[in-house]
Amino acid sequence: MKIISKLLVVNSGEIAIRIFRAAAELKIKTIAIYTFDDRYSFHKCKADKMVSGCFWIKGI
């Protein structure tokens, strides 16, 4: 059985914050994708890693 080690969240609302909270409880690393307009959003602060949605980085 494979274990989830990283979780990519492509949402910036309340649901994203809940996902980050649950993932932290389960010790799962999280990555937030954000746009230029969302650069000051709260969901970005809750993630372990933040990546601008303008660029897709291979092997995040």
Side-chain angles (χ1 to χ4, degrees):
M1 184 168 132
K2 292 185 179 183
I3 297 174
I4 297 172
S5 60
K6 286 185 185 177
L7 185 64
L8 176 67
V9 180
V10 188
N11 188 315
S12 61
E14 176 63 28
I15 299 298
I17 294 170
R18 291 180 188 194
I19 291 170
F20 290 133
R21 221 177 271 152
E25 289 178 12
L26 296 170
K27 308 277 191 278
I28 297 172
K29 299 285 185 191
T30 54
I31 304 166
I33 299 290
Y34 67 95
T35 62
F36 180 77
D37 294 334
D38 290 333
R39 66 190 180 277
Y40 300 117
S41 294
F42 183 63
H43 84 284
K44 211 177 84 164
C45 301
K46 300 298 266 179
D48 295 314
K49 185 175 183 179
M50 291 92 42
V51 178
S52 172
C54 302
F55 306 101
W56 290 101
I57 299 173
K58 187 176 180 178
I60 323 186

